Amino acid sequence: MPRHVGEFLHYQEQRGKMGLQQLTAADATSYIDHLKIQTGIRTGRGYSAGHINKYVQTLQLFSRYLRETGKSGIGFNLEWLEDSRNKPVWLTVQEIGQLYEITDDSVLGLRDQAMLAVFYGCGLRLNEGASLEVGYIITDRRLLYVRKGKGYKERYVPIAGGSYEQLRLYIDHARPQLLQTSSQMLFIGANKGKGLTKQSLYVRIKGLAKKAGLIKNIGTHTLRHSIATHLPASGMSLEQIQEFLGHEVLDSTQIYTHLINDMI
């Protein structure tokens, strides 16, 4: 985020600070306060919390860079602004458990569990999950091959023990009963025996949430947000989570570390 850093440094130069050694923690705080009273040139409105949080994140990373490179010992202790409008909707571990509890061992129940394994356990986007083929599950390495990721990028996602077992049960026992024609698609519909569309997968997940009595606005991406929120608490590093989710830049992953305190 060089533009954000550049704007901060230019602001400091205007106030007579021309070197990194002159910076103090208060300089970062005063700069964020300065942004809070600014208005956008095009909108004429004040900056959103999400916009200002980009600068908060930038300055935190910048101060870490300064310390690690020995250029300065400065540390910016900045708080993120509450941004409920853009805050991802996510489920607690208990609520995820409720989704699994309302599934059964029927053909469609096993398919539901496999959907949860893909969208929660593996954190896939809706389009990624809808594009999965049976061959994309690499059983000997317990990896899921995502061929059609965002921006046409490919990646391999590890499949945890429970999720792997759910996928295996579905593929071995439920999927053959649903299949009515030759198809390599992983998720098969109950009526025509063909691959499920993105819309069908989305509706099915929303139906599970309603059946489980969850009142949050839930879709497949909610499950992705949920696993991304739970992973930092399990000790996975931010860089590992970035790779797991297929984020192009780390700042897309950063937000999940700030949701941990809300977890139940």
Side-chain angles (χ1 to χ4, degrees), residues 157-216:
V157 179
I159 310 173
S163 296
Y164 177 79
E165 184 65 19
Q166 289 148 11
L167 283 168
R168 189 188 64 79
L169 286 172
Y170 164 67
I171 292 172
D172 291 347
H173 302 288
R175 186 178 179 277
Q177 298 183 58
L178 292 169
L179 201 61
Q180 297 179 26
T181 183
S182 178
S183 175
Q184 294 301 313
M185 303 309 297
L186 176 62
F187 293 117
I188 303 298
N191 295 325
K192 298 181 179 181
K194 298 181 179 180
L196 284 176
T197 64
K198 292 190 295 183
Q199 181 66 17
S200 296
L201 288 167
Y202 181 82
V203 170
R204 186 68 182 183
I205 292 297
K206 289 191 75 68
L208 288 178
K210 183 177 181 180
K211 186 177 179 181
L214 301 178
I215 60 175
K216 296 177 181 177

Side-chain angles (χ1 to χ4, degrees), residues 30-78:
S30 64
Y31 181 65
I32 296 301
D33 290 339
H34 162 73
L35 293 177
K36 291 177 182 177
I37 61 174
Q38 300 304 301
T39 56
I41 297 176
R42 287 180 297 176
T43 65
R45 298 193 298 267
Y47 293 147
S48 68
H51 180 84
I52 295 176
N53 280 338
K54 284 285 187 181
Y55 288 88
V56 170
Q57 179 190 3
T58 298
L59 295 180
Q60 289 175 337
L61 294 173
F62 184 53
S63 66
R64 188 176 75 181
Y65 163 77
L66 294 177
R67 292 193 304 274
E68 291 179 353
T69 57
K71 299 180 185 298
S72 173
I74 192 67
F76 296 151
N77 184 23
L78 299 170

Side-chain angles (χ1 to χ4, degrees), residues 90-113:
W90 56 278
L91 303 177
T92 64
V93 174
Q94 180 182 357
E95 289 169 331
I96 290 293
Q98 289 176 240
L99 286 177
Y100 278 104
E101 286 172 7
I102 54 95
T103 65
D104 54 37
D105 293 330
S106 67
V107 171
L108 295 184
L110 292 178
R111 191 187 65 181
D112 289 337
Q113 293 173 24

